[in-house]
Amino acid sequence: ARAERMAVFWEREISHPLMQGPVNMAQLLLICALDFAAFGGLGDYEKGRPKLSIWARRVRSLPSVSSTAPKKA
């Protein structure tokens, strides 16, 4: 339930300048949390949240993120 509330929060707040500027710790923590949940089978918190999904795709495309993303076995 908490993760779902946080996803709703981030869908609303993802356009905040802190989340749109140069990569920072807040952005890294959020993309890691989203990927950990998806990779671990805990849920797809981007589903039905278009702003969060667009943001996540942009961040995942960064070399520093894509090169360290979890790989499926």
Side-chain angles (χ1 to χ4, degrees):
R2 175 177 275 178
E4 191 66 32
R5 289 192 306 269
M6 291 303 296
V8 169
F9 170 84
W10 282 115
E11 174 66 12
R12 188 177 62 241
E13 297 295 326
I14 203 66
S15 61
H16 188 282
L18 180 67
M19 301 306 285
Q20 298 299 320
V23 176
N24 58 50
M25 188 60 72
Q27 292 179 29
L28 292 175
L29 287 171
L30 180 55
I31 198 65
C32 286
L34 290 171
D35 285 350
F36 180 82
F39 187 75
L42 302 174
D44 179 359
Y45 294 104
E46 296 168 53
K47 186 176 181 179
R49 296 179 180 90
K51 292 184 226 173
L52 185 58
S53 184
I54 290 166
W55 174 87
R57 279 196 304 271
R58 180 183 63 81
V59 174
R60 283 187 191 107
S61 72
L62 299 171
S64 59
V65 174
S66 63
S67 68
T68 58
K71 308 291 187 257
K72 295 194 179 199

